[in-house]
PDB file of all heavy atoms in Angstrom:
ATOM      1  N   ASN A  75     -18.646 -19.492  -9.608  1.00 97.00           N
ATOM      2  CA  ASN A  75     -18.483 -19.168  -8.184  1.00 97.00           C
ATOM      3  C   ASN A  75     -17.529 -20.201  -7.603  1.00 97.00           C
ATOM      4  O   ASN A  75     -17.856 -21.365  -7.501  1.00 97.00           O
ATOM      5  CB  ASN A  75     -19.865 -19.241  -7.504  1.00 97.00           C
ATOM      6  CG  ASN A  75     -19.837 -18.709  -6.085  1.00 97.00           C
ATOM      7  OD1 ASN A  75     -18.786 -18.590  -5.467  1.00 97.00           O
ATOM      8  ND2 ASN A  75     -21.020 -18.381  -5.578  1.00 97.00           N
ATOM      9  N   VAL A  85      -4.752 -17.576 -15.766  1.00 96.00           N
ATOM     10  CA  VAL A  85      -6.099 -17.635 -15.187  1.00 96.00           C
ATOM     11  C   VAL A  85      -6.893 -16.435 -15.694  1.00 96.00           C
ATOM     12  O   VAL A  85      -6.391 -15.315 -15.695  1.00 96.00           O
ATOM     13  CB  VAL A  85      -6.032 -17.599 -13.643  1.00 96.00           C
ATOM     14  CG1 VAL A  85      -7.438 -17.602 -13.037  1.00 96.00           C
ATOM     15  CG2 VAL A  85      -5.225 -18.791 -13.093  1.00 96.00           C
ATOM     16  N   GLY A  95      -9.927 -17.134  -2.665  1.00 96.00           N
ATOM     17  CA  GLY A  95      -8.871 -18.133  -2.506  1.00 96.00           C
ATOM     18  C   GLY A  95      -7.582 -17.594  -3.062  1.00 96.00           C
ATOM     19  O   GLY A  95      -7.398 -16.389  -3.184  1.00 96.00           O
ATOM     20  N   SER A  96      -6.678 -18.486  -3.415  1.00 96.00           N
ATOM     21  CA  SER A  96      -5.413 -18.004  -3.969  1.00 96.00           C
ATOM     22  C   SER A  96      -5.232 -18.499  -5.408  1.00 96.00           C
ATOM     23  O   SER A  96      -5.752 -19.541  -5.790  1.00 96.00           O
ATOM     24  CB  SER A  96      -4.233 -18.447  -3.093  1.00 96.00           C
ATOM     25  OG  SER A  96      -4.020 -19.816  -3.220  1.00 96.00           O
ATOM     26  N   ILE A  97      -4.501 -17.702  -6.155  1.00 97.00           N
ATOM     27  CA  ILE A  97      -4.187 -18.040  -7.539  1.00 97.00           C
ATOM     28  C   ILE A  97      -2.676 -18.037  -7.694  1.00 97.00           C
ATOM     29  O   ILE A  97      -2.021 -17.039  -7.343  1.00 97.00           O
ATOM     30  CB  ILE A  97      -4.790 -17.011  -8.525  1.00 97.00           C
ATOM     31  CG1 ILE A  97      -6.310 -17.006  -8.450  1.00 97.00           C
ATOM     32  CG2 ILE A  97      -4.327 -17.290  -9.948  1.00 97.00           C
ATOM     33  CD1 ILE A  97      -6.985 -15.959  -9.324  1.00 97.00           C
ATOM     34  N   GLU A  98      -2.124 -19.123  -8.172  1.00 96.00           N
ATOM     35  CA  GLU A  98      -0.689 -19.180  -8.405  1.00 96.00           C
ATOM     36  C   GLU A  98      -0.469 -19.262  -9.904  1.00 96.00           C
ATOM     37  O   GLU A  98      -0.897 -20.238 -10.539  1.00 96.00           O
ATOM     38  CB  GLU A  98      -0.080 -20.390  -7.672  1.00 96.00           C
ATOM     39  CG  GLU A  98       1.394 -20.267  -7.500  1.00 96.00           C
ATOM     40  CD  GLU A  98       1.942 -21.192  -6.401  1.00 96.00           C
ATOM     41  OE1 GLU A  98       1.234 -21.373  -5.392  1.00 96.00           O
ATOM     42  OE2 GLU A  98       3.027 -21.714  -6.588  1.00 96.00           O
ATOM     43  N   MET A  99       0.158 -18.258 -10.455  1.00 93.00           N
ATOM     44  CA  MET A  99       0.343 -18.193 -11.905  1.00 93.00           C
ATOM     45  C   MET A  99       1.814 -18.092 -12.259  1.00 93.00           C
ATOM     46  O   MET A  99       2.587 -17.457 -11.540  1.00 93.00           O
ATOM     47  CB  MET A  99      -0.350 -16.947 -12.485  1.00 93.00           C
ATOM     48  CG  MET A  99      -1.829 -17.006 -12.479  1.00 93.00           C
ATOM     49  SD  MET A  99      -2.569 -15.604 -13.367  1.00 93.00           S
ATOM     50  CE  MET A  99      -2.391 -14.289 -12.191  1.00 93.00           C
TER      51      MET A  99
ATOM     52  N   ILE B   5     -19.756 -18.266  -2.443  1.00 66.00           N
ATOM     53  CA  ILE B   5     -19.819 -16.874  -2.045  1.00 66.00           C
ATOM     54  C   ILE B   5     -21.179 -16.267  -2.319  1.00 66.00           C
ATOM     55  O   ILE B   5     -21.661 -16.280  -3.436  1.00 66.00           O
ATOM     56  CB  ILE B   5     -18.732 -16.075  -2.798  1.00 66.00           C
ATOM     57  CG1 ILE B   5     -17.370 -16.711  -2.558  1.00 66.00           C
ATOM     58  CG2 ILE B   5     -18.731 -14.618  -2.395  1.00 66.00           C
ATOM     59  CD1 ILE B   5     -16.411 -16.517  -3.683  1.00 66.00           C
ATOM     60  N   ASN B  52      -1.576 -11.422 -14.843  1.00 89.00           N
ATOM     61  CA  ASN B  52      -1.528 -12.634 -15.655  1.00 89.00           C
ATOM     62  C   ASN B  52      -0.180 -12.898 -16.292  1.00 89.00           C
ATOM     63  O   ASN B  52       0.168 -14.032 -16.606  1.00 89.00           O
ATOM     64  CB  ASN B  52      -2.603 -12.557 -16.759  1.00 89.00           C
ATOM     65  CG  ASN B  52      -3.425 -13.814 -16.820  1.00 89.00           C
ATOM     66  OD1 ASN B  52      -2.918 -14.898 -16.569  1.00 89.00           O
ATOM     67  ND2 ASN B  52      -4.694 -13.679 -17.131  1.00 89.00           N
ATOM     68  N   CYS B  56       3.445 -15.085 -10.011  1.00 93.00           N
ATOM     69  CA  CYS B  56       2.902 -14.491  -8.781  1.00 93.00           C
ATOM     70  C   CYS B  56       1.938 -15.426  -8.072  1.00 93.00           C
ATOM     71  O   CYS B  56       1.478 -16.426  -8.625  1.00 93.00           O
ATOM     72  CB  CYS B  56       2.156 -13.184  -9.124  1.00 93.00           C
ATOM     73  SG  CYS B  56       0.766 -13.434 -10.213  1.00 93.00           S
ATOM     74  N   ARG B  57       1.699 -15.086  -6.805  1.00 95.00           N
ATOM     75  CA  ARG B  57       0.628 -15.753  -6.053  1.00 95.00           C
ATOM     76  C   ARG B  57      -0.301 -14.678  -5.534  1.00 95.00           C
ATOM     77  O   ARG B  57       0.154 -13.767  -4.827  1.00 95.00           O
ATOM     78  CB  ARG B  57       1.208 -16.573  -4.917  1.00 95.00           C
ATOM     79  CG  ARG B  57       0.128 -17.322  -4.135  1.00 95.00           C
ATOM     80  CD  ARG B  57       0.674 -18.019  -2.924  1.00 95.00           C
ATOM     81  NE  ARG B  57       1.469 -19.162  -3.298  1.00 95.00           N
ATOM     82  CZ  ARG B  57       2.087 -19.957  -2.390  1.00 95.00           C
ATOM     83  NH1 ARG B  57       1.986 -19.687  -1.108  1.00 95.00           N
ATOM     84  NH2 ARG B  57       2.799 -20.987  -2.771  1.00 95.00           N
ATOM     85  N   LEU B  58      -1.552 -14.768  -5.906  1.00 97.00           N
ATOM     86  CA  LEU B  58      -2.539 -13.766  -5.480  1.00 97.00           C
ATOM     87  C   LEU B  58      -3.473 -14.414  -4.463  1.00 97.00           C
ATOM     88  O   LEU B  58      -4.035 -15.465  -4.731  1.00 97.00           O
ATOM     89  CB  LEU B  58      -3.369 -13.300  -6.687  1.00 97.00           C
ATOM     90  CG  LEU B  58      -2.632 -12.898  -7.962  1.00 97.00           C
ATOM     91  CD1 LEU B  58      -3.638 -12.578  -9.067  1.00 97.00           C
ATOM     92  CD2 LEU B  58      -1.755 -11.683  -7.714  1.00 97.00           C
ATOM     93  N   PHE B  60      -6.910 -13.802  -2.493  1.00 97.00           N
ATOM     94  CA  PHE B  60      -8.109 -12.947  -2.387  1.00 97.00           C
ATOM     95  C   PHE B  60      -8.896 -13.409  -1.157  1.00 97.00           C
ATOM     96  O   PHE B  60      -9.447 -14.502  -1.148  1.00 97.00           O
ATOM     97  CB  PHE B  60      -8.960 -13.074  -3.661  1.00 97.00           C
ATOM     98  CG  PHE B  60      -8.265 -12.554  -4.874  1.00 97.00           C
ATOM     99  CD1 PHE B  60      -7.589 -13.422  -5.734  1.00 97.00           C
ATOM    100  CD2 PHE B  60      -8.263 -11.205  -5.174  1.00 97.00           C
ATOM    101  CE1 PHE B  60      -6.947 -12.956  -6.868  1.00 97.00           C
ATOM    102  CE2 PHE B  60      -7.614 -10.726  -6.301  1.00 97.00           C
ATOM    103  CZ  PHE B  60      -6.948 -11.602  -7.155  1.00 97.00           C
TER     104      PHE B  60
END
Side-chain angles (χ1 to χ4, degrees):
Chain A
N75 189 341
V85 177
S96 71
I97 297 176
E98 198 161 324
M99 289 187 283
Chain B
I5 304 151
N52 229 326
C56 63
R57 182 186 289 179
L58 312 175
F60 296 96

